Amino acid sequence: MKAAAFAYARATSVANALDLLAAHGDKAKVLSGGQSLMPAMNLRLLAPELIVDIGELCELRGISLRGDTLVIGALTRHVELLKSPDIAAHAPLLADAVAHVAHPAIRNRGTIGGSLAHADPASELPACMLALAATIVARGPGGERRVAAEAFFTGIYETVLGPQELLVAIELPVAKGNSAHYFHEFARRHGDYAIAGLAAQARIDGGKFAELRLGFFAVGDRPVLAKAASKLVGVDVMPAALAAACAALDAELDPQDDQQASPDMRRHLARVLLRRGVAALLNRPELGAEATA
Ligand code: FAD
């Protein structure tokens, strides 16, 4: 199938893109890498009247370190995240995760801003944003606003972005000393969307978690920053504490039922990920041994 007819405008600046969005409201759609928008249009799931192509806006591309903050432009492509020395040094979780996003052809075009604005609950990068305590920077007719990642995703393919707003950048606090990260997903084949996944970032002090952020994905209508993590912070993690965290996690998830997996299977996989993640972060393999339970 081919997309319904649409008008096309190539934005010449962020201000120009915002003017076009303000003039056309929810009849317009932003085009970044096109790796989610174009398939959706070709399947006639979306039929915008106007495409606002922001792909040439160099000011939205690139990765820079500003003090203790890593700033990633919205148009930074997946492949650039994968190869960036700054990401490898200051947000290695993101580098691990992006290797699981689709395939090279898609990673060469797809952008981090597009991935976050698209808000597929099975996507890797939104969950990383929760684990990394990211701030999403949006610009609209009223100026710029900053939204904590935890408040940004509001449902399946839904975010707090309004139709007249552009996601312009992502701000990440740089990883501190004693940081550890863990990323794993269960998928039918490498590059497929996950059946269940976990992006985790931690700070470890004296063998205990000083901080633990667990971003689960594909286990609900949006990425989940698991409150269950609080059961593991500041304590000697013993099997009983881990079991309590698994039970708490179970209570806060609401996984979807689809052709890939049942809700029960997704809950099971999330518990397995929690155990394996904690074992890997603390470097205590015995804690992951019950991962199949
Ligand atoms: P686009 O397709 O250009 O846009 C996506 C949506 O976001 C549109 O609604 C658009 O209007 C909006 N948008 C884009 N940029 C902005 C902005 N700056 N401000 C406001 N709104 C904006 N993704 C995964 O995470 N994991 C996978 O395993 C995976 N597998 C894939 C497999 C295939 C075969 C394909 C085709 C895609 C896959 N993707 C996967 C999606 C891919 O990662 C996309 O690159 C990403 O979801 C969207 O990025 P994009 O730049 O292409 O955005």
Side-chain angles (χ1 to χ4, degrees):
M1 216 188 305
K2 286 291 168 207
F6 58 89
Y8 172 90
R10 177 173 290 172
T12 52
S13 64
V14 170
N16 177 231
L18 292 176
D19 284 347
L20 288 163
L21 293 176
H24 293 86
D26 59 8
K27 297 192 168 39
K29 273 278 177 198
V30 175
L31 175 71
S32 285
Q35 299 304 298
S36 295
L37 182 61
M38 297 319 294
M41 287 174 62
N42 286 340
L43 290 167
R44 305 257 173 140
L45 298 172
L46 288 175
E49 288 177 10
L50 173 70
I51 292 291
V52 178
D53 184 352
I54 62 168
E56 301 282 302
L57 303 183
C58 300
E59 59 203 281
L60 297 183
R61 182 157 283 139
I63 301 162
S64 59
L65 193 58
R66 294 183 202 160
D68 283 345
T69 305
L70 202 55
V71 182
I72 307 175
L75 278 181
T76 306
R77 294 188 171 135
H78 302 326
V79 66
E80 292 163 338
L81 297 175
L82 201 54
K83 293 186 174 167
S84 159
D86 279 331
I87 297 288
H90 302 298
L93 171 67
L94 202 49
D96 278 9
V98 87
H100 294 263
V101 174
H103 310 285
I106 290 149
R107 294 200 291 265
N108 287 342
R109 302 290 317 168
T111 66
I112 185 167
S115 175
L116 303 184
H118 187 55
D120 188 320
S123 272
E124 291 82 359
L125 302 190
C128 289
M129 296 301 110
L130 297 184
L132 291 168
T135 301
I136 315 290
V137 186
R139 217 174 286 167
E144 200 161 271
R145 61 176 177 139
R146 288 176 158 67
V147 184
E150 287 150 75
F152 184 75
F153 304 100
T154 53
I156 182 159
Y157 305 124
E158 279 177 15
T159 71
V160 296
L161 284 179
Q164 304 188 351
E165 277 184 306
L166 266 188
L167 194 165
V168 292
I170 296 98
E171 296 174 343
L172 299 178
V174 300
K176 298 189 184 108
N178 300 337
S179 287
H181 69 278
Y182 172 84
F183 183 90
H184 191 74
E185 68 178 38
F186 293 107
R188 292 202 184 274
R189 296 168 304 185
H190 186 86
D192 280 7
Y193 277 103
I195 299 171
L198 170 62
Q201 183 74 24
R203 243 175 355 96
I204 294 160
D205 195 4
K208 296 178 185 171
F209 288 117
E211 198 183 344
L212 177 63
R213 295 178 69 91
L214 302 172
F216 284 90
F217 54 103
V219 288
D221 70 349
R222 67 196 81 177
V224 177
L225 184 67
K227 295 185 184 68
S230 65
K231 305 233 172 266
L232 302 169
V233 174
V235 299
D236 248 332
V237 177
M238 293 303 183
L242 202 44
C246 284
L249 177 67
D250 222 41
E252 64 183 301
L253 296 183
D254 185 15
Q256 64 275 34
D257 192 3
D258 60 24
Q259 66 274 34
Q260 292 230 72
S262 66
D264 280 351
M265 182 174 168
R266 286 196 155 94
R267 284 179 189 284
H268 169 75
L269 293 177
R271 288 193 301 269
V272 170
L273 286 164
L274 176 58
R275 287 181 182 279
R276 288 188 187 171
V278 167
L281 289 164
L282 292 174
N283 198 14
R284 286 176 53 195
E286 78 280 5
L287 290 172
E290 293 177 53
T292 51

